[in-house]
Structure formats: C-alpha cells, structure tokens
Amino acid sequence: MCRGIDVVLEEYRRVLLALEETLMRDPGTPLSHLQHTLHVFQHVLPALVSVIQIVQEENIKDCTVLELLHTKAQSGIPAVQAAMHNVVYACHNVMYSQLTAWLIYGQLSTASREFFIQANAMVCCFSGTVRECQQKQRE
C-alpha cells in the first residue's frame, strides 16, 4: 500500500517542484495559478489520509485492505479514482507475488501472516515427523 501511495505522492511532488520553479522565475505569479495547479490534489490527499487513518485505527490487514481500497476507489471524482487505482495496483502486485510463490514454488509468506492462504497443521503432520510438526505449530 505504501508503494502505491508513494506513486501518487510522487506526482504531487513533481507538481510542487514545477510550481517552485515557476515561482522562482516569476515571483509575481498569481495565487489563482497555484490554486488551479493544485486543485486536483484537493480531493486526492484527504482521500489518501482517510484510507491511512482507517487502516491504522482499525488495524486492517490482508484482503480487508484491498476491500477498503476498492470501496474508496468508487468515488465520483476521477482524480481520487485514479489515485486509489494506483494504490490498489501496488497491493495487487504484492498479492500476485505471494500467490506466485505459493503456486509455483510452494512457499508461503508466513512472517506477516497477511496472505489469505495459510499452512495447515494437519498437512504438516502428514508430510514430516511429529517433532517437525510440533515445531511448526509453535511458530
């Protein structure tokens, strides 16, 4: 999610740098020019802050984050939709890499326990010794 938010903020930073260059060249740049240039972010930044606050306050993880992002992407404001789709895209990349690791290599990312597929203790018991199974269950 952070990578997707960073993509959106990178565009914001780029616009701010362009505005700074404009102001350095022409200190008499009207305020209306600044407002017009930044108006796209008037709705995008509060929407991103809202998502971050919900994730932090409710301790949202795994697929619930994707559900929240899909809900927030249903905005009637095209800039907010585009921003949320960037964040969703980044989250999907993580999910697809975890899915690929599981399907192709048989590896589960168990460190974060955020992947929607989890190891089954019974399968572990049938594929290894009792001691290995007990050790894996404790982890």
Side-chain angles (χ1 to χ4, degrees):
M1 187 169 104
C2 292
R3 185 169 291 151
I5 291 172
D6 194 45
V7 168
V8 175
L9 292 179
E10 185 60 37
E11 182 182 343
Y12 180 63
R13 288 184 206 107
R14 185 182 49 75
V15 169
L16 287 178
L17 283 174
L19 278 174
E20 183 181 27
E21 288 175 8
T22 302
L23 288 171
M24 296 298 277
R25 278 186 311 220
D26 182 15
T29 303
L31 184 59
S32 60
H33 176 71
L34 298 174
Q35 288 176 323
H36 173 73
T37 305
L38 294 172
H39 90 283
V40 173
F41 299 101
Q42 179 180 355
H43 300 289
V44 171
L45 296 177
L48 290 174
V49 168
S50 169
V51 167
I52 293 168
Q53 286 176 335
I54 292 170
V55 168
Q56 287 179 337
E57 290 170 2
E58 298 180 18
N59 199 25
I60 294 177
K61 295 181 180 176
D62 54 52
C63 293
T64 313
V65 171
L66 286 174
E67 184 180 341
L68 171 67
L69 291 172
H70 282 289
T71 302
K72 293 291 185 177
Q74 301 302 317
S75 170
I77 304 169
V80 173
Q81 286 178 339
M84 290 301 162
H85 284 295
N86 281 332
V87 179
V88 167
Y89 178 79
C91 291
H92 278 165
N93 281 340
V94 171
M95 183 185 73
Y96 294 148
S97 66
Q98 289 177 335
L99 195 58
T100 300
W102 177 64
L103 289 172
I104 295 176
Y105 305 109
Q107 299 171 343
L108 284 175
S109 175
T110 57
S112 63
R113 291 208 167 276
E114 290 186 5
F115 189 47
F116 59 91
I117 297 173
Q118 298 293 320
N120 185 339
M122 292 305 291
V123 172
C124 164
C125 289
F126 291 119
S127 64
T129 66
V130 174
R131 180 172 287 157
E132 288 173 350
C133 181
Q134 290 170 344
Q135 207 171 22
K136 287 182 182 179
Q137 283 179 344
R138 281 187 226 123
E139 295 173 355

